Amino acid sequence: MHQASNHNDMGRQVRRVPKGWQHPVERYEPLRDHYERDAQDFDKMEEEKGLEEALNYYGQRPDAQEYMGVEWKEEDRVLYQMYETTTEGTPLSPAFETQEELAHWLADNEASAFADRTATCDEWRKIMGS
């Protein structure tokens, strides 16, 4: 089954989140990003190749409940938060106002860059593409 997602290096992705965002912690459920893109991709495949082919490829139509920020406005996404994407999205860090603050926090707290590997501040900047 294919899951559409936006991966950065080593299964890590910086996501823009609004102030006050708290990832649900009652189950710490993985949340994907880019609902609209994934739903459009599914719909396009369904239109071009049929529902059965789209379901075989994606497993199911994207469900907004499995995505974060579906209702957020782009201008409200003012903070940066690092997510791991190998399980489709759980946070590795708190949210910060700048990518620089995020890189320092990740390095200082020896956050996992991949499996049991950590990264320096410069390596985190490269992972973030900044």
Side-chain angles (χ1 to χ4, degrees):
M1 173 176 68
H2 169 78
Q3 292 294 332
S5 58
N6 180 22
H7 288 82
N8 281 352
D9 293 336
M10 300 185 288
R12 302 297 182 254
Q13 177 187 55
V14 175
R15 293 184 181 176
R16 299 296 305 265
V17 299
K19 288 186 178 186
W21 161 249
Q22 287 286 4
H23 191 98
V25 294
E26 55 275 352
R27 290 182 290 157
Y28 222 52
E29 184 174 312
L31 294 174
R32 295 179 179 94
D33 203 12
H34 305 293
Y35 170 75
E36 288 183 19
R37 181 201 62 204
D38 291 354
Q40 287 172 357
D41 289 349
F42 181 93
D43 292 345
K44 182 177 179 184
M45 180 175 279
E46 179 183 12
E47 183 179 306
E48 292 175 357
K49 297 184 179 183
L51 178 60
E52 185 175 344
E53 185 70 26
L55 290 172
N56 285 338
Y57 188 74
Y58 288 98
Q60 67 180 23
R61 186 176 199 294
D63 179 352
Q65 299 285 347
E66 296 175 356
Y67 288 76
M68 63 184 277
V70 173
E71 72 285 352
W72 298 341
K73 295 177 184 169
E74 194 60 38
E75 61 268 16
D76 292 337
R77 295 174 181 236
V78 296
L79 302 177
Y80 298 89
Q81 188 168 13
M82 182 63 72
Y83 273 73
E84 60 79 23
T85 56
T86 53
T87 62
E88 299 301 336
T90 54
L92 290 174
S93 75
F96 293 91
E97 291 192 17
T98 68
Q99 287 190 26
E100 186 66 22
E101 290 173 307
L102 175 58
H104 281 284
W105 187 94
L106 292 164
D108 292 347
N109 288 278
E110 298 181 343
S112 167
F114 181 75
D116 62 349
R117 288 188 46 220
T118 60
T120 66
C121 195
D122 286 339
E123 290 168 332
W124 279 114
R125 284 188 204 101
K126 288 178 187 172
I127 291 169
M128 289 186 274
S130 60

